Amino acid sequence: MKKIYTSIDIGTDTIRILVCDYFQGKFRTLAVSSVRTKGVKSGSIVDDTMLIERLKLALDDIESRINVKVKKVIVTIPPFDAEFNLVHGNIPIVNEEKMVTEKDILRVQNSVVGDILPNMELVNVTPIDFTIYENGSEIETIKDPKNKICDRLGIRAMVVTVPKSLVISFVKVVEAAGVEVVDLVLSPIADFEEVNKPEYEDAVVSVINIGRDTTSISMFNKGIITNSSILKIGSRVIDEDISYIYYTNRKTARKIKENFGIAHPRYANKSETYESRDINGKLIKVNQYELSEIINKRLVEILNVAKNEAKVLTN
């Protein structure tokens, strides 16, 4: 059976809505909408009214593309003050056959989330492995316990929680825009799934996402998130550098970066130029190679800070 999913990502710079269908084990993108964000600063909502207006605009756009009314959505949540806890639990298998079913797997997962603090909200439970017991003795530790015969089923899992106030602030504005929030996903987990490769499943991986005002660094061990942090630095500093050097406003600087910028001088063309105007209306010519040097210098700085943060996250 084909299922359709809609997700909303509210960034400091852009609101993105993705609609896809799931059929025969594969996702297929149906439509994507992007609008500039208003009412968000450094990843936090500062003006509900302005953000709701932009969300409605994005929803109207995506609905016009797919010709279907969006009623339910999945919302990505940034990892501000997120907590990552390795937990253990076990439950008895109560059916007559003593066979582990999908319901038992859900039961044992639910057994490890009962001690969440009142001010925190659960956003993710990732099973690491399961242990089957017979007559009080550990028999086997496996990834998939379904259909195994045992007396008790144990679990080791990573539980991720975020402040409830953060969740409420995002859910409130999305539902005020006219749609129901049915699930949440932590943005670093979505980032990892986007870039995931088979070789990452058995390695320690750091995912760095450079946003407009912030940069997130997240650590994954064998595909499971273990820690995350947010730095108060983003691509805005690149716009400020370009604006200062070429004497333009930030809007023009951003346009130059997005339309003509290259992240590394190695890939830039020394003879190619881009025409624009400074704040006095004077015509300027931006050399691509020189522009790439400006961009690269800041990118290296951001990545070095992120690298040091990754060391802290992994001790």
Side-chain angles (χ1 to χ4, degrees), residues 21-292:
D21 65 14
Y22 183 76
F23 184 63
Q24 296 181 342
K26 294 182 178 180
F27 284 100
R28 183 182 63 166
T29 299
L30 300 179
V32 179
S33 175
S34 297
V35 301
R36 294 295 188 196
T37 306
K38 290 183 179 180
V40 178
K41 186 175 182 180
S42 297
S44 299
I45 299 172
V46 295
D47 190 317
D48 289 8
T49 302
M50 292 179 67
L51 181 55
I52 291 168
E53 289 178 357
R54 303 305 290 179
L55 278 168
K56 288 181 177 179
L57 182 63
L59 286 165
D60 288 344
D61 181 56
I62 200 75
E63 289 170 354
S64 68
R65 293 171 186 267
I66 61 176
N67 201 28
V68 174
K69 179 72 174 177
V70 174
K71 297 179 180 180
K72 299 180 179 181
V73 297
I74 300 168
V75 177
T76 60
I77 299 293
F80 287 109
D81 299 318
E83 294 183 359
F84 304 85
N85 295 298
L86 182 64
V87 297
H88 301 77
N90 65 79
I91 59 166
I93 303 302
V94 295
N95 60 68
E96 292 183 2
E97 296 83 6
K98 295 296 181 180
M99 179 181 290
V100 177
T101 65
E102 289 185 359
K103 288 184 179 180
D104 294 317
I105 294 173
L106 288 174
R107 282 174 55 224
V108 76
Q109 286 185 192
N110 290 335
S111 73
V112 298
V113 299
D115 296 329
I116 296 175
L117 295 173
N119 64 322
M120 301 298 285
E121 183 79 16
L122 174 70
V123 291
N124 193 72
V125 180
T126 305
I128 299 172
D129 51 41
F130 297 87
T131 303
I132 57 176
Y133 297 87
E134 283 188 24
N135 300 320
S137 299
E138 181 180 321
I139 302 300
E140 187 181 8
T141 297
I142 52 179
K143 294 291 186 182
D144 185 3
K146 189 178 178 183
N147 298 329
K148 289 287 185 177
I149 305 296
C150 61
D151 295 324
R152 298 188 71 85
L153 176 66
I155 188 175
R156 187 166 61 112
M158 181 63 71
V159 171
V160 183
T161 57
V162 297
K164 189 164 288 186
S165 57
L166 175 69
V167 173
I168 291 173
S169 66
F170 276 82
V171 171
K172 183 174 67 173
V173 295
V174 173
E175 294 193 339
V179 291
E180 179 187 354
V181 177
V182 295
D183 206 353
L184 306 170
V185 60
L186 199 69
S187 55
I189 296 177
D191 292 340
F192 178 78
E193 292 300 327
E194 172 65 22
V195 301
N196 193 14
K197 296 180 181 179
E199 56 264 36
Y200 295 167
E201 296 296 335
D202 294 313
V204 176
V205 176
S206 177
V207 178
I208 300 171
N209 186 330
I210 302 175
R212 179 71 170 158
D213 287 338
T214 61
T215 295
S216 68
I217 304 96
S218 305
M219 305 306 303
F220 291 81
N221 188 354
K222 297 181 179 179
I224 297 172
I225 192 167
T226 59
N227 216 335
S228 185
S229 179
I230 294 181
L231 303 175
K232 298 292 186 178
I233 185 172
S235 64
R236 186 187 297 273
V237 295
I238 298 175
D239 299 346
E240 292 171 352
D241 287 347
I242 295 171
S243 174
Y244 176 77
I245 291 172
Y246 292 105
Y247 203 54
T248 68
N249 58 45
R250 290 183 184 176
K251 184 177 180 180
T252 301
R254 176 175 177 164
K255 185 177 179 181
I256 293 171
K257 179 191 71 178
E258 294 182 348
N259 293 339
F260 194 59
I262 301 291
H264 199 288
R266 180 188 307 156
Y267 306 105
N269 190 330
K270 292 184 178 181
S271 62
E272 193 167 347
T273 59
Y274 180 91
E275 291 188 350
S276 186
R277 295 191 179 274
D278 64 16
I279 57 176
N280 294 320
K282 182 181 177 181
L283 182 68
I284 56 172
K285 290 187 177 182
V286 180
N287 180 274
Q288 189 178 67
Y289 185 84
E290 293 174 353
L291 177 64
S292 69

